[in-house]
């Protein structure tokens, strides 16, 4: 019987297969050598090569099985932590949570740190005109862009972080009944409505997840404050309005002017504008340039108080 017909492949995955293979190889080669007879007959090379090929195939099968096991484990972990589950309260697709009202996914919110605004994971509906889905644990003022000079100021030795907030007696985090809506869900609808119908007044929105409050940041005037509560159902969500001096569209146009329209103007003066950042509390924009010290005064004179600072790169 030829060695290829002996079922060598049955050793794949068998922990003891390696030892049995080597034992069988020694026995068979010895038998073949004895059959050849004579001194100096040499080993049967063809048989040795076939045995080597069988061993290589066996190793390939073992490695493929190991890779499949690792892949299956990884898939199970993704399904457990990032996929949709059928049970109540389970998470949906990665980065979303089901709503209590409709069961549809709502973008998840990053962990809240006292004194720091957080953002909701971006979705396909994000656009500069709408702005980000923001949270403001201390109201719109907590969205303020930290100035460069403040970051460069040493922290006082006696500084300590503010204590964690507690749930107020008049509110509760998230929907409290089956008819209530989540503030993030209402936020998404409100900002789309205001941006589409009041583009010259709309600046942005933010939510306080602890109290289920939604802040609408807008230029006051007209019937905006009356129409928003009527246009967007918001049971369980408290709507509040904050005054802004200019709309988001106005600031986006200013940012385009500084970074794009005036590029040649500043280039002729040896100034390169690296970035223009909007302060989400509506106070203005921050210009980032390599020549902050030399060009700061001229930029403030050219664009006015809506440029809140000219900061260096870094």
């Amino acid at each position: 019987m030829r060695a290829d017909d002996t079922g060598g492949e049955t050793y794949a995955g068998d922990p003891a297969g390696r030892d049995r293979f080597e034992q069988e190889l020694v026995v068979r080669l010895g038998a073949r050598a004895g059959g050849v007879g004579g001194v100096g007959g040499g080993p049967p090379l063809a048989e040795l090569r076939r045995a080597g090929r069988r061993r290589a195939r066996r190793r390939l099968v073992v490695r493929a099985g190991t890779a499949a096991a690792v892949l299956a484990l990884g898939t199970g972990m993704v399904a457990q932590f990032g996929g949709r589950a059928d049970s109540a309260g389970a998470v949906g697709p990665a980065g979303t949570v089901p709503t209590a009202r409709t069961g549809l996914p709502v973008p998840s919110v990053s962990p809240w740190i006292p004194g720091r605004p957080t953002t909701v994971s971006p979705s396909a509906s994000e656009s500069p005109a709408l702005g980000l889905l923001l949270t403001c644990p201390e109201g719109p003022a907590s969205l303020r862009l930290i100035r460069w000079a403040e970051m460069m100021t040493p922290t006082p030795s006696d500084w300590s972080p503010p204590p964690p907030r507690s749930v107020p007696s008049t509110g509760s985090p998230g929907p409290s009944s089956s008819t209530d809506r989540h503030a993030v869900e209402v936020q998404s609808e409100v900002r789309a409505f205001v941006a589409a119908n009041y583009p010259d007044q709309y600046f942005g929105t933010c939510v306080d997840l602890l109290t289920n409050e939604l802040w609408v940041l807008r230029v006051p005037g007209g019937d905006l404050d009356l129409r928003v509560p009527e246009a967007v159902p918001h049971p369980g969500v408290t709507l509040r309005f904050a005054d802004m001096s200019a709309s988001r569209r106005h600031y986006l146009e200013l940012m385009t002017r500084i970074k794009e329209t005036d590029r040649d103007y500043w280039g002729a003066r040896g100034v390169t504008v690296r970035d223009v950042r909007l302060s989400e509390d509506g106070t203005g924009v921050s210009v980032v340039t390599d020549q902050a010290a030399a060009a700061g005064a001229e930029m403030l004179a050219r664009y006015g108080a809506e440029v809140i600072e000219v900061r260096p790169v870094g």
Side-chain angles (χ1 to χ4, degrees):
M1 180 182 296
R2 294 172 50 214
D4 289 328
D5 299 331
T6 59
E9 298 299 331
T10 60
Y11 300 141
D14 185 353
R18 180 174 181 176
D19 293 337
R20 293 206 312 272
F21 171 80
E22 292 177 350
Q23 293 174 4
E24 181 180 341
L25 180 62
V26 171
V27 172
R28 292 195 179 193
L29 290 181
R32 287 295 180 91
V36 172
V39 178
L45 297 180
E47 177 66 22
L48 183 60
R49 293 191 183 98
R50 285 194 295 270
R53 287 196 296 269
R54 289 201 306 273
R55 188 170 188 180
R57 289 196 299 270
R58 187 181 77 250
R59 288 180 176 177
L60 179 62
V61 171
V62 172
R63 290 175 182 173
T66 303
V70 172
L71 179 61
L73 177 61
T75 303
M77 294 177 68
V78 170
Q80 179 179 359
F81 297 107
R84 180 181 297 276
D86 294 331
S87 61
V91 299
T96 63
V97 293
T99 66
R101 178 172 177 265
T102 63
L104 298 176
V106 167
S108 63
V109 180
S110 57
W112 171 66
I113 300 175
R116 179 184 300 175
T118 55
T119 61
V120 175
S121 301
S123 65
S125 63
E126 298 293 348
S127 72
L130 291 176
L132 297 173
L133 288 169
L134 297 171
T135 66
C136 47
E138 300 292 345
S142 60
L143 302 177
R144 177 179 178 272
L145 180 67
I146 300 177
R147 312 297 194 259
W148 175 262
E150 295 170 343
M151 292 191 295
M152 295 298 102
T153 302
T155 303
S157 58
D158 58 349
W159 180 88
S160 61
R165 300 169 67 206
S166 58
V167 180
S169 58
T170 57
S172 60
S176 58
S177 71
S178 60
T179 60
D180 286 349
R181 303 189 67 186
H182 197 286
V184 175
E185 185 181 15
V186 178
Q187 178 188 26
S188 181
E189 296 178 15
V190 165
R191 69 177 188 147
F193 172 80
V194 181
N197 294 277
Y198 301 90
D200 293 325
Q201 293 180 255
Y202 170 78
F203 179 82
T205 59
C206 67
V207 294
D208 187 332
L209 298 176
L210 193 62
T211 60
N212 223 34
E213 293 176 291
L214 167 60
W215 291 86
V216 182
L217 286 60
R218 87 288 182 256
V219 178
D223 61 350
L224 186 154
D225 295 5
L226 296 176
R227 287 196 61 196
V228 170
E230 297 174 352
V232 181
H234 57 283
V237 177
T238 302
L239 293 182
R240 301 192 183 279
F241 296 88
D243 294 350
M244 298 287 110
S245 59
S247 66
R248 178 170 291 270
R249 182 165 72 174
H250 170 81
Y251 281 117
L252 292 177
E253 291 173 352
L254 175 61
M255 295 166 69
T256 300
R257 178 189 172 194
I258 297 173
K259 192 173 182 180
E260 303 295 339
T261 307
D262 289 356
R263 183 191 303 272
D264 294 339
Y265 174 88
W266 292 113
R269 288 158 176 76
V271 177
T272 301
V273 177
R274 298 294 185 183
D275 195 12
V276 183
R277 301 169 184 171
L278 178 62
S279 182
E280 291 293 343
D281 65 346
T283 55
V285 300
S286 173
V287 180
V288 182
T289 175
D290 296 310
Q291 298 79 27
E298 186 178 356
M299 282 192 171
L300 294 175
R302 182 174 178 83
Y303 302 117
E306 290 180 338
V307 173
I308 56 178
E309 68 169 352
V310 179
R311 66 167 66 186
V313 177

